């Protein structure tokens, strides 16, 4: 609950949780209504966030892809609605586009090195994904590598197609 509207709740433990400055600014003093009671995920109350709740889609062309975020499959309708609201209200897709572009470029460079040393690209990407799930299934690193692993066309590109010359 925003402290500007509910100052008496500003220091209660359930109302205090870490949030980056950019998200806090986007969140502002938004509160829900009877129709839409919540806009944001809450790490204490939303136990379903113990599992991956965000799905990243990486779209071709893979030398300069675009990225989109959605609720992960398998969520209930209310859970998916809350995840979509959270992504929209905090402008996550537009704010994290640069992050995903950077991760993709880093991935292309890693794949280039793996190919140079005749390493298994699919196993390498799977190892990166599994390494990051330990932090959280909703860490941006895990979401990214999970998306790569589940994108058949991207994996084919990484394993078989020529990589960009600018690497």
């Amino acid at each position: 609950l925003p402290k500007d509207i509910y100052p008496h709740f500003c220091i209660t433990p359930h109302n205090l949780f870490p949030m980056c400055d950019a998200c806090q600014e986007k969140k502002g003093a938004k509160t829900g209504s009877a129709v839409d009671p919540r806009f944001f995920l809450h790490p204490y109350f939303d136990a379903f966030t113990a599992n991956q709740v965000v799905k990243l889609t990486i779209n071709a062309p893979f030398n300069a892809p675009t990225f989109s975020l959605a609720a992960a499959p398998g969520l209930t309708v209310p859970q998916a609605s809350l995840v979509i609201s959270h992504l929209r209200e905090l402008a996550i897709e537009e704010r994290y586009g640069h992050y995903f572009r950077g991760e993709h470029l880093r991935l292309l460079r890693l794949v280039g090195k793996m190919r140079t040393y005749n390493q298994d690209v699919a196993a390498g990407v799977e190892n990166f994904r599994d390494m990051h799930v330990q932090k959280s299934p909703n860490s941006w690193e895990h979401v990214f590598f999970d998306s790569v692993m589940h994108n058949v066309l991207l994996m084919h590109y990484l394993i078989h197609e020529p990589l960009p010359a600018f690497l």
Side-chain angles (χ1 to χ4, degrees):
L1 298 171
K3 67 180 176 183
D4 294 347
I5 300 171
Y6 303 98
H8 47 291
F9 291 127
C10 73
I11 59 168
T12 59
H14 286 95
N15 204 40
L16 297 174
F17 61 90
M19 181 180 277
C20 73
D21 291 342
C23 285
Q24 183 63 49
E25 183 177 325
K26 287 283 185 189
K27 179 183 153 291
K30 292 177 185 166
T31 59
S33 65
V35 176
D36 287 318
R38 295 179 56 209
F39 294 114
F40 307 105
L41 295 168
H42 193 291
Y44 304 146
F45 300 131
D46 296 318
F48 71 93
T49 62
N51 299 308
Q52 186 173 340
V53 298
V54 176
K55 179 183 184 322
L56 174 68
T57 301
I58 304 172
N59 304 296
F62 298 123
N63 62 343
T66 58
F67 305 91
S68 59
L69 291 169
L75 298 175
T76 66
V77 171
Q79 291 169 341
S81 178
L82 183 57
V83 169
I84 290 166
S85 172
H86 187 89
L87 294 171
R88 179 189 65 242
E89 295 296 323
L90 297 178
I92 298 291
E93 189 172 311
E94 62 193 63
R95 288 179 35 230
Y96 277 85
H98 71 282
Y99 170 79
F100 294 127
R101 284 187 297 278
E103 279 298 294
H104 186 75
L105 183 58
R106 188 171 148 252
L107 172 65
L108 293 177
R109 288 181 180 136
L110 288 169
V111 166
K113 294 233 186 251
M114 286 181 202
R115 287 179 178 187
T116 299
Y117 296 106
N118 293 317
Q119 295 175 340
D120 184 334
V121 171
V125 172
E126 186 174 8
N127 285 337
F128 289 130
R129 181 198 60 189
D130 293 348
M131 178 179 64
H132 292 296
V133 76
Q134 295 173 9
K135 179 178 171 185
S136 165
N138 292 300
S139 71
W140 292 120
E141 296 91 350
H142 178 263
V143 169
F144 177 80
F145 284 108
D146 189 62
S147 175
V148 173
M149 282 299 304
H150 287 98
N151 188 325
V152 175
L153 295 175
L154 175 54
M155 286 302 296
H156 180 271
Y157 172 82
L158 294 174
I159 294 168
H160 302 289
E161 299 295 324
L163 297 176
F166 60 79
L167 296 175

